[in-house]
């Protein structure tokens, strides 16, 4: 049997079931239910740094609450306390700093990704009780949007939302999102804005916001949309700056007639869509609501380091 090929992976640190190894050497069982069924949930947390200060996760408590909801819905026990999850991220950042394969100079901002699967068992569909969850995590340099993307905005395309009816679970079963993102990738666009039965849902790996007459609109919190952690952040920023905010079902026609369209995610933070299906959004330039929210977002990051 040929050896399992990992020589294309950098020997950067990762965490697996209580131990820190490297991406090119760690192994999981082929009967792990995450591998067999995609039976697990995940989180991705932005961790920001400042010179001579310890990196701080952004909206960590909200991530922990969403993780708890996802694990409860999938009936998987949470293997760690919030303090333990935070410590895993800190340990991985420290291990990265010691790694000879690490990016130099060391980055300030990180992306902490972790997933929890139901564990290892002989292949059978029922949610077998008593399994030990598998925990995998990495903490790698953040890859934020470029300065040009922030200044000019990004192009997106639209598609029907063909995914399952439990989009609110941050499931590692992401084949639907892979197909959705491939649509935009093949057209040279950044994201795929999706519609379910004629109403806005979300993008392949982002939430989508509609701005009209100075008000920010988003899809409701329900089972058809993954409630990104930025849902609460955007609502708070709007309230702080006197910008209207409303969640409701948004018809496709309203999206196409928007003054501004925005993406939000852990790595994108807030990012303007200025072209949709080859047509300009509003003026075709990032708008004033985007700039206000982006500035507010940066202040929220700075607040992580204030005593």
């Amino acid at each position: 049997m040929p050896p399992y090929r990992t020589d294309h992976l950098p020997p950067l640190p990762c965490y697996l079931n209580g131990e820190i190894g490297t991406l090119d050497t760690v192994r999981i069982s082929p009967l792990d239910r995450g591998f067999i069924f995609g039976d697990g949930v995940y989180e991705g947390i932005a961790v920001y740094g400042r010179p001579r200060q310890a990196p701080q996760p952004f909206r960590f408590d909200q991530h922990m609450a969403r993780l708890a909801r996802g694990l409860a819905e999938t009936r998987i026990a949470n293997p760690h306390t919030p303090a333990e999850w935070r410590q895993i991220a800190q340990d991985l950042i420290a291990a990265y700093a010691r790694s000879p394969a690490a990016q130099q100079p060391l980055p300030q901002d990180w992306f902490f990704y972790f997933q929890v699967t139901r564990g290892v068992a002989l292949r059978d569909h029922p949610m077998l009780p008593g399994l030990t969850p598998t925990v995998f995590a990495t903490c790698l340099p953040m890859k934020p949007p470029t300065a040009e993307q922030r200044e000019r905005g990004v192009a997106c395309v639209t598609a029907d939302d063909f995914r399952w009816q439990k989009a609110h679970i941050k499931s590692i079963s992401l084949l639907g999102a892979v197909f959705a993102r491939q649509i935009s990738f093949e057209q040279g666009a950044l994201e795929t804005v999706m519609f379910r039965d004629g109403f806005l849902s979300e993008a392949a790996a982002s939430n989508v916001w509609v701005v009209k007459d100075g008000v920010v609109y988003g899809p409701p919190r329900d089972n058809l949309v993954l409630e990104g952690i930025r849902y609460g952040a955007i609502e708070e920023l709007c309230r702080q700056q006197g910008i209207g905010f409303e969640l409701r079902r948004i018809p496709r026609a309203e999206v196409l007639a928007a003054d501004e369209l925005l993406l939000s995610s852990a790595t994108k933070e807030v990012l303007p869509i200025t072209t949709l299906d080859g047509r300009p959004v509003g003026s075709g330039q990032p708008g004033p609501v985007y700039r206000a929210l982006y500035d507010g977002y940066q202040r929220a990051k700075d607040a992580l380091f204030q005593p």
Side-chain angles (χ1 to χ4, degrees), residues 3 17-18 30 47 75 92 104 110 119 130 132 135 142 161 189 213-214 253 257 275 286:
N17 296 335
V47 182
R75 306 181 195 178
L92 284 169
Q104 298 294 335
W110 305 84
T132 300
V135 179
M142 183 85 78
D161 194 339
D213 298 328
T275 303

Side-chain angles (χ1 to χ4, degrees), residues 45-57:
I45 304 178
V47 182
Y48 296 108
R50 293 291 187 271
R52 296 178 297 280
Q53 296 194 60
Q56 298 295 325

Side-chain angles (χ1 to χ4, degrees), residues 222-266:
D222 59 21
N223 64 297
L224 301 180
V225 172
L226 176 64
E227 181 187 336
I229 297 303
R230 267 121 294 270
Y231 253 66
I234 296 292
E235 184 174 10
E236 290 179 18
L237 294 174
C238 285
R239 183 171 60 250
Q240 291 168 7
Q241 304 195 46
I243 298 171
F245 179 88
E246 182 180 345
L247 300 182
R248 62 172 173 81
R249 286 168 64 80
I250 306 171
R252 182 186 182 100
E254 289 189 25
V255 176
L256 300 181
D259 298 331
E260 301 178 45
L261 293 176
L262 311 175
L263 298 170
S264 66
S265 73

Side-chain angles (χ1 to χ4, degrees), residues 38-277:
D39 184 3
V41 300
Y42 75 101
E43 285 290 327
I45 304 178
V47 182
Y48 296 108
R50 293 291 187 271
R52 296 178 297 280
Q53 296 194 60
Q56 298 295 325
F58 187 74
R59 298 182 75 83
F60 181 76
D61 292 343
Q62 290 83 351
H63 277 284
M64 290 294 101
R66 185 174 64 180
L67 173 67
R69 293 194 301 269
L71 290 172
E73 183 127 3
T74 53
R75 306 181 195 178
I76 299 174
N78 193 333
H80 293 295
T81 66
E84 289 169 344
W85 285 117
R86 186 187 288 264
Q87 187 63 52
I88 291 170
Q90 293 172 349
D91 291 345
L92 284 169
I93 291 172
Y96 185 99
R98 296 190 300 268
S99 171
Q103 172 183 313
Q104 298 294 335
L106 292 175
Q108 287 190 0
D109 298 339
W110 305 84
F111 184 67
F112 176 40
Y113 172 88
F114 62 91
Q115 67 178 43
V116 182
T117 78
R118 195 174 306 279
V120 179
L122 292 176
R123 189 181 187 279
D124 195 7
H125 284 75
M127 297 179 178
L128 302 174
L131 300 183
T132 300
T134 298
V135 179
F136 170 78
T138 62
C139 208
L140 296 174
M142 183 85 78
K143 295 182 179 179
T146 65
E148 182 179 10
Q149 287 174 323
R150 294 219 171 275
E151 182 61 29
R152 296 188 178 185
V154 297
C156 294
V157 297
T158 62
D160 290 333
D161 194 339
F162 43 76
R163 301 166 308 154
W164 68 330
Q165 298 286 316
K166 288 186 175 290
H168 64 297
I169 300 175
K170 200 168 177 67
S171 167
I172 62 173
S173 303
L174 287 173
L175 187 58
V178 169
F179 274 111
R181 179 63 184 91
Q182 188 68 17
I183 292 170
S184 53
F185 178 79
E186 291 177 352
Q187 298 185 53
L190 184 74
E191 259 286 21
T192 305
V193 176
M194 293 183 287
F195 296 86
R196 196 188 295 262
D197 299 324
F199 292 90
L200 176 67
S201 55
E202 56 192 344
S206 317
N207 288 126
V208 182
W209 305 93
V210 177
V211 180
K212 189 67 177 180
D213 298 328
V215 178
V216 175
Y217 297 94
R221 296 178 172 96
D222 59 21
N223 64 297
L224 301 180
V225 172
L226 176 64
E227 181 187 336
I229 297 303
R230 267 121 294 270
Y231 253 66
I234 296 292
E235 184 174 10
E236 290 179 18
L237 294 174
C238 285
R239 183 171 60 250
Q240 291 168 7
Q241 304 195 46
I243 298 171
F245 179 88
E246 182 180 345
L247 300 182
R248 62 172 173 81
R249 286 168 64 80
I250 306 171
R252 182 186 182 100
E254 289 189 25
V255 176
L256 300 181
D259 298 331
E260 301 178 45
L261 293 176
L262 311 175
L263 298 170
S264 66
S265 73
T267 55
K268 299 178 186 71
E269 297 181 350
V270 186
L271 190 65
I273 302 172
T274 49
T275 303
L276 187 65
D277 287 339

